[in-house]
Amino acid sequence: MSRFAGKVALVTGGGGGIGSATSRRLAAEGARVFVADAAGEHAARVAAEIRDAGGAAQELVFDLTSAEASREAVAAVEAQTERGAIDVLVNNAGAMRRGALLDTSEDDWELSFAVNVDALFHMCRAVLPGMIAAGGGSIVNTASQWGLTPAPGHIAYNVTKAAVVSFTKSLARDYAPDRVRVNAVCPGEIHTPMLERGIAEKGKTIADLDALVPFGRIGRPEEVAALIAFLASDDAEFVCGSCVEITGAQAVA
Ligand SMILES: NC(=O)c1ccc[n+]([C@@H]2O[C@H](COP(=O)([O-])OP(=O)(O)OC[C@H]3O[C@@H](n4cnc5c(N)ncnc54)[C@H](O)[C@@H]3O)[C@@H](O)[C@H]2O)c1
């Protein structure tokens, strides 16, 4: 498939689990991918792996919590494109701070909003003018199943991911007339470094999580990447303002 031939994609959190799988998938389908992450060595490794596999990718190292750094990074990418625009933006970076309200510090709360919500505001404000001027584009945000159905003991994460759901629908409604499609994925448990850190803290195993999923196992980053690629592609031309669950039926368990 070459659904992204000639397209430029920027994937935030591109050095992490779902972001690296998404970067690989978009590149395998022809996109030139900018792998954005604050963890420079991870972004560089993913970009190098894509190039080794014959794709086009480069790392883009900046902290998404800075509006200025986000604007500069987007401008640097746009300057390297023929249309002066990014075709596909995947707002995927995220942070998880655990705890019920009384176990959540001000720092936990602020960091969660800065990475999970404010970064989408910064990135979309930077990318949209170019997309609109170029006649359209596609934005896919990584929300969470927990943004739709809160998990116990994760108030900052739940609330910020619910904000991502509303942000997605609000943006879609406002910019659909400009042919900018905005959608989100709402994953359940996916086997990534974030999940590995979580189960280590809770003293759980992958088998414990597998047992909670009606499908019989937790998800793989490549499965979320396939959904993100579909939503970002022209195959999803009339899909706009949707927040799609990908949970192995855990959402209905
Ligand atoms: N793994 C799951 O079970 C799961 C489930 C639902 C939703 N999600 C969401 O999927 C997305 C990807 O998560 P993952 O599991 O791949 O996690 P991950 O920890 O593997 O990747 C997250 C990446 O985001 C980057 N990042 C964090 N803060 C940043 C910042 N300020 N600036 C730039 N980059 C920053 C990290 O360096 C990391 O590479 C997140 O939004 C997460 O909330 C994950």
Side-chain angles (χ1 to χ4, degrees), residues 24-50:
R24 286 190 200 96
R25 176 72 189 240
L26 296 177
E29 293 198 42
R32 178 179 176 201
V33 179
F34 288 83
V35 182
D37 209 296
E41 72 281 17
H42 292 161
R45 178 180 44 78
V46 172
E49 284 168 5
I50 289 171

Side-chain angles (χ1 to χ4, degrees), residues 13 15-19 37-39 62-65 92-94 115 142-144 157 161 187-190 192-195 197:
I18 293 171
D37 209 296
F62 67 101
D63 185 344
L64 284 158
T65 63
N92 163 79
V115 178
T142 306
S144 170
Y157 189 77
K161 290 301 186 178
E189 306 282 9
I190 309 296
T192 69
M194 180 186 279
L195 179 132
R197 287 190 296 274

Side-chain angles (χ1 to χ4, degrees), residues 141 148 164-174 182 241-243:
N141 301 321
L148 302 170
V164 174
V165 168
S166 183
F167 182 88
T168 300
K169 294 183 180 184
S170 303
L171 205 63
R173 176 63 190 86
D174 289 341
V182 189
S242 295
C243 297

